[in-house]
Amino acid sequence: MQERSIAIDGPAGAGKSTLARALAQELGYLYVDTGAIYRTVALRAREAGADPSDPGQVEPLLDGLEIRMDYGPDGEQRMYLSGTDVTKAIRDNEISGMASKVAALPGVREFLLDFQRRQAREHDVVMDGRDIGTVVLPQAGVKIFLTASPEARAQRRTLELRQRGQDADFDEILRQIRQRDEQDRTRPVAPLRQAEDAALLDTTNLDLKGSLEALLTLVRERLAL
Ligand code: DC
């Protein structure tokens, strides 16, 4: 039921997925990462050699597209494309940029709308994305717009990659974050924006623990828990 759902929107790297997952665990809700669904469509476009910005090349791929999602024993959301587990493959940096491009295509958004709404009909969900509070679940009981400065987001992403032993250049990451923000905010269909009835949570000066506490306080107030 939408009224029991929690919608968390915001730009890339604001900590949405970590916080939404922790919140879902705390409340016993199902966590749905909608970005992973767009990423899976982007992966399909890459496999097909399609230009992710061209509706004429991407939309025909939606016909017969087989996307499935389930949850591992650790609660991790896994994505499948034509039966293959693509959970890791969709985290590729190139796919991040391509996902933002396919997500700007109205045909792709329309196609994924029902898929996302079905999750909220079947479960109590914490759903994160860009347009959950504005378009996907406008009746959500709690809406949060989670943000942080581009520099803070780039800094976190740089640290995360370095901790994983990968090369990470702060300036390049900051450039990519700004570019993705711009793409997600300026698209004509379902752009990234704060819903009028969403609470704003800015995590620029908060660590993970502080962010989770602030989020839990907001959610408890709004759900009257
Ligand atoms: O949250 P993420 O970085 O995994 O999302 C990847 C891209 O998908 C992001 O740049 C914008 C798009 N997206 C969207 O348009 N709407 C959503 N609800 C979720 C993601």
Side-chain angles (χ1 to χ4, degrees):
M1 195 178 42
Q2 275 204 31
E3 288 75 6
R4 288 175 57 88
S5 317
I6 300 177
I8 303 189
D9 291 301
K16 289 190 305 291
S17 58
T18 311
L19 291 169
R21 187 180 298 121
L23 178 67
Q25 202 165 23
E26 182 76 23
L27 300 176
Y29 277 32
L30 187 73
Y31 166 55
V32 180
D33 168 5
T34 62
I37 310 171
Y38 287 93
R39 286 170 179 270
T40 305
V41 174
L43 187 68
R44 175 72 191 103
R46 187 171 73 179
E47 274 179 10
D51 172 352
S53 306
D54 182 350
Q57 293 185 39
V58 177
E59 285 173 11
L61 300 173
L62 300 173
D63 239 0
L65 183 74
E66 204 198 311
I67 290 188
R68 201 164 54 76
M69 174 174 133
D70 72 12
Y71 291 85
D74 52 356
E76 184 200 19
Q77 176 180 317
R78 294 183 300 213
M79 297 302 304
Y80 299 85
L81 175 61
S82 310
T84 303
D85 186 340
V86 295
T87 312
K88 289 224 159 53
I90 58 170
R91 296 296 149 192
D92 185 290
N93 206 24
E94 191 195 355
I95 293 294
S96 304
M98 290 181 75
S100 178
K101 293 197 168 103
V102 298
L105 306 178
V108 170
R109 302 205 73 84
E110 180 63 32
F111 180 82
L112 294 183
L113 197 53
D114 192 53
F115 186 90
Q116 297 170 84
R117 285 188 177 149
R118 201 177 328 129
Q119 308 301 320
R121 273 200 300 275
E122 294 173 358
H123 312 273
D124 287 338
V125 294
V126 175
M127 193 174 276
D128 86 20
R130 304 293 188 286
D131 63 335
I132 308 306
T134 51
V135 176
V136 180
L137 305 176
Q139 310 298 329
V142 182
K143 298 182 187 179
I144 309 282
F145 195 78
L146 194 71
T147 189
S149 70
E151 291 77 10
R153 291 185 279 131
Q155 185 62 36
R156 289 175 195 161
R157 179 79 184 136
T158 307
L159 280 175
E160 188 187 308
L161 287 171
R162 289 188 184 150
Q163 274 163 4
R164 278 197 235 145
Q166 295 177 26
D167 276 351
D169 176 44
F170 173 81
D171 291 332
E172 174 57 14
I173 290 173
L174 181 58
R175 192 191 62 75
Q176 288 172 354
I177 280 188
R178 288 190 198 278
Q179 187 183 8
R180 210 136 73 87
D181 282 0
E182 174 73 11
Q183 264 170 205
D184 295 343
R185 284 202 172 103
T186 57
R187 66 179 177 223
V189 183
L192 168 66
R193 67 173 180 85
Q194 182 178 347
E196 270 164 29
D197 49 354
L200 178 68
L201 177 56
D202 185 330
T203 67
T204 305
N205 298 311
L206 296 174
D207 62 7
L208 188 58
K209 188 162 168 278
S211 305
L212 185 59
E213 275 165 15
L215 180 62
L216 276 169
T217 304
L218 277 174
V219 169
R220 290 204 169 107
E221 273 168 19
R222 294 194 164 215
L223 280 183
L225 287 175

